[in-house]
Amino acid sequence: MTEKQPGKLEMQDISIAFPGVQALKDMHFCAERGRVHALIGANGAGKSTLMKILGGAYDHYTGTIKIDGAAAAIRSPRNAKTLGIQVVYQEVDTALIPSLSVGENLMLEQLVHDMKGRHLVRWRTLHRSAQQQLDRLQVRVDSRKLVQDLTLAEKQMVLIARAASLECRYLVLDEPTAPLSSAETAELFRLVRELKASGVGIIFISHRLPELYDICDDITIMRDGRFVLRERLQALRQEEIVEHMLGARMELQFPRSSRRIGEPLLEVRQLRDPGRLDAIDLSIRKGEIVGLAGLVGAGKTELCRALFGASRTAMGEVVLDGRASARARTPYQAVRRGFALVPEERRKEGILVQESVGANLTVPTLGRYSLVGSWIRRGRERRAAEAMIGRLGIKTPSAQTRAGNLSGGNQQKIAIGKWLLADAAVYLFDEPTKGVDVGAKRDIFQLVDELAQRGKCVLYATSELSEIVGITDRVYVMYDGKIVKELETAATTEEELLFYSTGGGAT
């Protein structure tokens, strides 16, 4: 007879496979109510897969799940929610309905399950209740606003608010802080502590190791779909966590190469986008990596999109290699003129999740593999894709595997790799390491450095100030849609960058 263990969630001998991939093998996991448990592993380790099993998204697994010592049959999301398990997944755009309002998304569970045969909705009451939930969590979003008009950070906070509004015993947060500013992260942590104090067990997935020490009590480390270690977090140093994640000692994170920086290749003059950007001036030389630092909402993404022709309202002058007519009005024009963008929202804008890895890698350069008309030389296309898969170390069973089935880090490598084949002149990176583990980050830094060594110019936009200091030559700091400071990276610090990123020195 199994001894009852109150306040504990156990997953024992969990295994699951997908076509060509053994995602989990005899995995063990245990979390307790009233504690915050970090679940850590490199991209592709199986963290999200394990939590999707717990949330009922996958039903073809083997193994057992116990809650408070009793066996739990979780084969659907409804099963999980009935047991008090709520999951906030990393892919926020797949979890929200963009054409509905914030209030409708927030109260979706009540609309679906609590109507009890009624067909009339009291919209004023719904929005009042939703706004009260948002206000309680200090989420500054109007309940009546459409989700499609929200920023990525706002979508993430709406999802967390929805999960927190429901009765739950265990709450899974999959990379919750990736799109959040430091202030929003602090607010999230306040909420997590409140839920912890009320007896909710929090399972916290993140690649930002320093933040784990602020919020987590325990840690489980995974590698290649298997259990590696469970320990009290304070008993481990960051270096030890990384070594357990990778199965090897961590090498130098940032490349140490000598690059020749040439003449100015890209010059931007008085670039404006009403309500988003104000009088942007910047330049990048051949072989130079220029950082674009700023907090979430500073305008980094808007600047990258404007340069890539993705904003119809942008105005200003863009000079590329002496050609003053280089400002693109569409992404198609931008690609033709030598621009490449690796966007922040990779699943929404960076890759085609339903297409194969190979198709994603070759889509910008499909003309190279085409004959007259619409005939494609599949052999040449496949060889080019396979070569890029090997070059980038993309972990995939084959080039025919659906890109949406890969881990976030491998999807990001695809988003970058397709532009390496395109051989652009200007590379725009918007938060390229978001949701990426330390090993994959190192690979991305190496790729960025190699581009600069080949004489390309790189604009590297991120709110991770340590990356700015570690990889760039110069940095522009953005605040409220403006460039407020230009600095030589070697002569600045993270503290100075943060000062200007938060509006310090602004007039």
Side-chain angles (χ1 to χ4, degrees):
M1 184 174 178
T2 303
E3 182 182 353
K4 187 176 181 180
Q5 302 179 56
K8 182 175 288 190
L9 181 151
E10 299 172 278
M11 304 181 75
Q12 302 172 344
D13 300 315
I14 302 295
S15 298
I16 190 170
F18 300 95
V21 181
Q22 181 70 45
L24 296 173
K25 181 68 173 177
D26 299 327
M27 178 63 196
H28 300 280
F29 178 74
C30 177
E32 300 173 33
R33 293 182 65 180
R35 297 181 71 84
V36 182
H37 197 116
L39 181 60
I40 297 299
N43 288 113
K47 309 179 298 297
S48 294
T49 300
L50 185 68
M51 291 301 100
K52 285 180 178 178
I53 289 174
L54 182 62
Y58 297 141
D59 64 356
H60 63 288
Y61 65 92
T62 59
T64 59
I65 301 174
K66 295 181 180 179
I67 296 179
D68 298 343
I74 300 179
R75 300 290 172 177
S76 72
R78 186 62 178 161
N79 293 155
K81 290 174 182 177
T82 300
L83 291 165
I85 297 168
Q86 299 289 336
V87 184
V88 177
Y89 292 114
Q90 183 179 358
E91 299 87 3
V92 297
D93 284 304
T94 63
L96 294 170
I97 302 174
S99 59
L100 296 183
S101 69
V102 170
E104 290 168 289
N105 274 276
L106 193 65
M107 308 299 287
L108 198 58
E109 293 286 329
Q110 292 89 327
L111 283 172
V112 172
H113 299 297
D114 296 344
M115 291 296 290
K116 297 179 181 178
R118 292 182 282 112
H119 302 289
L120 294 175
V121 178
R122 294 185 173 90
W123 293 108
R124 184 177 297 178
T125 301
L126 180 145
H127 284 293
R128 183 169 60 247
S129 298
Q131 196 64 56
Q132 287 173 351
Q133 291 287 349
L134 294 167
D135 292 344
R136 182 176 70 85
L137 303 180
Q138 299 180 39
V139 179
R140 296 175 179 84
V141 176
D142 186 346
S143 170
R144 297 180 182 274
K145 190 173 184 179
L146 291 180
V147 163
Q148 65 192 22
D149 296 329
L150 300 181
T151 66
L152 187 61
E154 289 171 335
K155 292 174 186 176
Q156 179 72 74
M157 293 303 286
V158 168
L159 268 180
I160 294 170
R162 184 170 73 184
S165 69
L166 301 169
E167 291 295 327
C168 68
R169 291 190 281 178
Y170 295 94
L171 175 63
V172 180
L173 300 177
D174 190 355
E175 292 285 350
T177 63
L180 304 184
S181 68
S182 56
E184 290 164 333
T185 297
E187 185 58 31
L188 168 65
F189 285 1
R190 180 195 63 78
L191 173 61
V192 168
R193 292 187 180 100
E194 285 185 7
L195 294 171
K196 171 186 170 181
S198 68
V200 176
I202 312 290
I203 301 169
F204 196 91
I205 301 176
S206 177
H207 289 301
R208 295 176 171 178
L209 299 186
E211 73 183 13
L212 300 183
Y213 290 87
D214 290 338
I215 198 68
C216 297
D217 303 298
D218 311 299
I219 186 170
T220 291
I221 303 174
M222 300 177 64
R223 185 172 67 246
D224 297 330
R226 297 175 181 268
F227 171 86
V228 173
L229 179 72
R230 184 184 191 275
E231 185 58 270
R232 294 286 187 264
L233 181 60
Q234 296 300 328
L236 295 173
R237 293 178 290 108
Q238 283 192 47
E239 294 81 2
E240 293 176 298
I241 294 175
V242 171
E243 289 176 18
H244 284 301
M245 287 171 57
L246 301 180
R249 291 187 64 85
M250 183 63 183
E251 302 171 7
L252 286 174
Q253 191 174 24
F254 299 107
R256 292 289 184 266
S257 66
S258 57
R259 288 181 277 105
R260 180 180 178 276
I261 298 177
E263 297 299 316
L265 180 63
L266 175 70
E267 294 182 74
V268 178
R269 301 167 184 164
Q270 294 294 294
L271 183 64
R272 302 173 186 272
D273 198 348
R276 300 182 181 91
L277 302 173
D278 185 13
I280 300 296
D281 291 312
L282 63 82
S283 66
I284 310 177
R285 292 174 288 176
K286 293 181 180 179
E288 186 179 31
I289 302 173
V290 170
L292 192 62
L295 304 181
V296 173
K300 305 184 303 298
T301 294
E302 289 77 8
L303 177 53
C304 290
R305 289 176 59 84
L307 291 174
F308 196 63
S311 172
R312 296 181 179 180
T313 54
M315 301 171 287
E317 187 177 12
V318 177
V319 179
L320 180 62
D321 203 17
R323 300 191 307 275
S325 59
R327 187 173 72 81
R329 301 185 184 278
T330 65
Y332 174 78
Q333 285 185 352
V335 173
R336 290 291 297 259
R337 292 172 183 178
F339 287 82
L341 171 64
V342 179
E344 179 182 19
E345 297 189 58
R346 59 174 168 258
R347 288 184 65 90
K348 183 179 179 181
E349 300 174 336
I351 64 171
L352 303 169
V353 293
Q354 300 297 330
E355 298 297 329
S356 69
V357 174
N360 271 277
L361 287 170
T362 59
V363 67
T365 55
L366 204 55
R368 297 182 188 175
Y369 318 109
S370 302
L371 296 170
V372 177
S374 59
W375 296 97
I376 299 174
R377 296 173 175 173
R378 295 296 182 185
R380 290 184 61 184
E381 181 192 22
R382 185 183 66 254
R383 287 192 293 273
E386 290 174 347
M388 186 56 66
I389 289 170
R391 177 182 172 187
L392 300 183
I394 298 172
K395 294 181 180 179
T396 177
S398 75
Q400 302 309 312
T401 300
R402 191 167 69 92
N405 289 340
L406 302 188
S407 68
N410 285 302
Q411 290 177 4
Q412 188 71 336
K413 289 182 179 180
I414 294 171
I416 296 172
K418 69 180 184 182
W419 295 118
L420 298 183
L421 282 173
D423 194 34
V426 178
Y427 285 83
L428 311 170
F429 290 89
D430 187 7
E431 299 287 358
T433 63
K434 188 178 75 176
V436 172
D437 70 73
V438 289
K441 281 184 180 181
R442 189 179 62 230
D443 294 340
I444 290 172
F445 297 147
Q446 188 64 46
L447 287 170
V448 171
D449 186 70
E450 288 176 4
L451 288 171
Q453 288 186 52
R454 288 163 47 193
K456 311 299 182 181
C457 66
V458 176
L459 185 64
Y460 192 96
T462 182
S463 56
E464 299 288 344
L465 302 182
S466 61
E467 296 180 12
I468 293 285
V469 172
I471 197 171
T472 69
D473 303 298
R474 277 188 305 123
V475 55
Y476 293 99
V477 184
M478 291 196 72
Y479 176 76
D480 196 24
K482 302 175 183 178
I483 289 179
V484 295
K485 194 69 175 178
E486 178 185 355
L487 297 161
E488 294 290 332
T489 305
T492 190
T493 63
E494 290 184 46
E495 290 74 19
E496 184 178 24
L497 293 174
L498 183 60
F499 173 75
Y500 289 111
S501 295
T502 54
T507 58

